[in-house]
Amino acid sequence: MEILSSIENGILTLEFNRPERKNAITAAMYQSMADALTAAETDVAVRAILLVGKPEIFTAGNDLEDFMKNAPSSGAIEDRSVYKFMMALSGASKPVVAAVSGNAVGIGTTLLMHCDLVYAADNARFSMPFAQLGLCPEFGSSVLLTQIAGYPRAAEKLMLGEAFGAQEALDMGLISKVLPVEELRAFAEGQAAKLVALPASSIRTTKALMKAARTAPTAQAIAEENKHFSAMLSSPEAKEAFMAFFQKRKPDFTQFE
């Protein structure tokens, strides 16, 4: 199973389990997580949700081969499993805890902005290389990262797409705490257990109140980003970026205006 899903002591744990491909996410994996999150909404046995990867890698982001095979036609974004997963995550009424170690690339960083408590190991590396691939930010990150980190830092991360470490992620407010890699998962599980022990209605209401002010702007940003993202997938720049990736060479964007 490339997504390990279990419910124990009130915690739904979803674990990326494809280390041989650096936990790159396929459409099937997105669908599995979307189904689990959707079911958790009405499952009284679930009071908190935990997202984890492996000690050496959180996720390399989209599996590009699988992604290109399942690339949407214009207007078909709502039918994609990645969209269903991100909407289920963004709309989850129950608290979501994430534990990140190793690389969190692309959507691996984007999804953290929709979680409630995010903890990282000291070996964590975050990146959002959308512009490097001839694309644009996704799933509200253009708005959410700006709110979290401020415009200058958000511009640096989203325009240049360069990787940054756990301490910088902490300084900019993307994560809550940095821990040694060997302590990360136990700590995150402990935080989720604290949430389970608290009144469920209080936690859900607190989360809803805190997210209310950003719900409409985020939804608007997602719609706008999706429109541009879908169109840019067929752009010459994106085609060059993907071809260069598969050919293991540096892309040449100077040929495009």
Side-chain angles (χ1 to χ4, degrees):
M1 298 293 290
E2 295 177 332
I3 295 293
L4 299 180
S5 177
S6 63
I7 299 173
E8 187 174 355
N9 298 324
I11 303 171
L12 166 64
T13 299
L14 298 176
E15 178 179 351
F16 295 116
N17 186 45
R18 200 185 182 210
E20 73 282 1
R21 293 298 299 271
K22 298 182 179 180
N23 283 346
I25 312 172
T26 64
M29 293 165 70
Y30 281 124
Q31 189 63 57
S32 177
M33 292 188 291
D35 291 344
L37 291 173
T38 300
E41 280 296 300
T42 56
D43 189 344
V44 296
V46 176
R47 295 169 69 95
I49 299 160
L50 177 62
L51 302 179
V52 298
K54 300 298 184 187
E56 66 280 5
I57 182 75
F58 184 63
T59 173
N62 283 311
D63 181 307
L64 289 183
E65 291 185 19
D66 182 82
F67 179 79
M68 295 310 295
K69 289 177 184 177
N70 294 282
S73 59
S74 179
I77 185 70
E78 292 82 3
D79 295 329
R80 293 172 61 206
S81 55
V82 61
Y83 181 88
K84 294 174 183 177
F85 162 65
M86 287 301 298
M87 291 303 97
L89 178 63
S90 179
S93 64
K94 298 176 182 182
V96 182
V97 180
V100 183
S101 55
N103 287 342
V105 181
I107 200 164
T109 293
T110 298
L111 70 84
L112 302 177
M113 302 175 207
H114 296 273
C115 298
D116 303 299
L117 306 179
V118 182
Y119 303 103
D122 48 19
N123 72 338
R125 297 282 289 173
F126 307 85
S127 62
M128 292 166 284
F130 307 117
Q132 295 176 348
L133 292 171
L135 302 171
C136 67
E138 59 177 0
F139 295 111
S141 55
S142 61
V143 166
L144 293 175
L145 190 62
T146 302
Q147 291 176 345
I148 291 167
Y151 184 88
R153 273 189 162 175
E156 183 180 58
K157 304 314 176 192
L158 290 172
M159 290 183 182
L160 295 178
E162 296 171 345
F164 55 100
Q167 186 58 51
E168 187 173 0
L170 178 65
D171 293 343
M172 64 194 286
L174 181 63
I175 64 175
S176 299
K177 193 177 185 69
V178 180
L179 300 113
V181 63
E182 63 272 13
E183 298 177 13
L184 176 68
R185 179 153 182 170
F187 181 86
E189 289 174 344
Q191 296 296 88
K194 291 179 184 178
L195 291 167
V196 168
L198 293 168
S201 60
S202 297
I203 297 299
R204 288 196 303 269
T205 301
T206 299
K207 175 174 178 171
L209 289 169
M210 293 176 68
K211 293 189 72 172
R214 76 180 198 181
T215 298
T218 301
Q220 183 177 354
I222 290 173
E224 192 70 12
E225 289 166 351
N226 284 343
K227 180 177 69 176
H228 289 291
F229 195 98
S230 295
M232 294 174 79
L233 277 173
S234 58
S235 71
E237 292 89 344
K239 290 178 181 178
E240 165 64 10
F242 286 117
M243 185 179 298
F245 175 84
F246 291 122
Q247 294 176 351
K248 296 181 171 32
R249 62 173 174 83
K250 186 176 181 178
D252 177 16
F253 298 120
T254 60
Q255 58 188 302
F256 311 114
E257 295 183 358

